[in-house]
Amino acid sequence: MILYHGSNVIVQEPQILENGFYKDFGYGFYCTILEKQAKRWALTKRRRHIVNFYEYSPDKSLNIKKFSKMTEEWLQ
């Protein structure tokens, strides 16, 4: 799976920050499967406009929590 990240810098190796509330859902490294959406994010930057892309391979050893719809738990 290819994931895209819009930025003003090249990000070779993403680092996930776990504490704080810098974005809507807290710190994190936001990606999308939609290149067009990442381009829009990149265009919000004042200087350079860069779309980084990454290849993701699912890892079955990870614990995953899926939400099929928005609920109170999802909002938390």
Side-chain angles (χ1 to χ4, degrees):
M1 170 189 303
I2 301 296
L3 297 173
Y4 301 94
H5 171 77
S7 184
N8 62 341
V9 296
I10 295 172
V11 182
Q12 295 286 344
E13 294 185 28
Q15 295 181 6
I16 298 172
L17 303 173
E18 296 181 10
N19 298 319
F21 295 100
Y22 177 69
K23 298 284 185 183
D24 293 344
F25 299 104
Y27 281 119
F29 188 80
Y30 294 85
C31 292
T32 177
I33 58 172
L34 305 173
E35 185 176 8
K36 184 176 181 178
Q37 184 177 33
K39 285 180 182 178
R40 285 197 310 260
W41 289 343
L43 289 171
T44 66
K45 308 303 177 191
R46 289 192 174 154
R47 296 208 166 114
R48 298 166 58 185
H49 312 289
I50 297 171
V51 174
N52 297 276
F53 66 96
Y54 310 95
E55 185 173 352
Y56 171 74
S57 300
D59 181 344
K60 293 184 184 215
S61 70
L62 295 175
N63 293 323
I64 297 172
K65 178 129 187 167
K66 283 189 173 185
F67 295 94
S68 60
K69 60 184 178 179
M70 290 189 292
T71 62
E72 286 296 318
E73 185 183 12
W74 176 84
L75 288 171
Q76 296 294 324

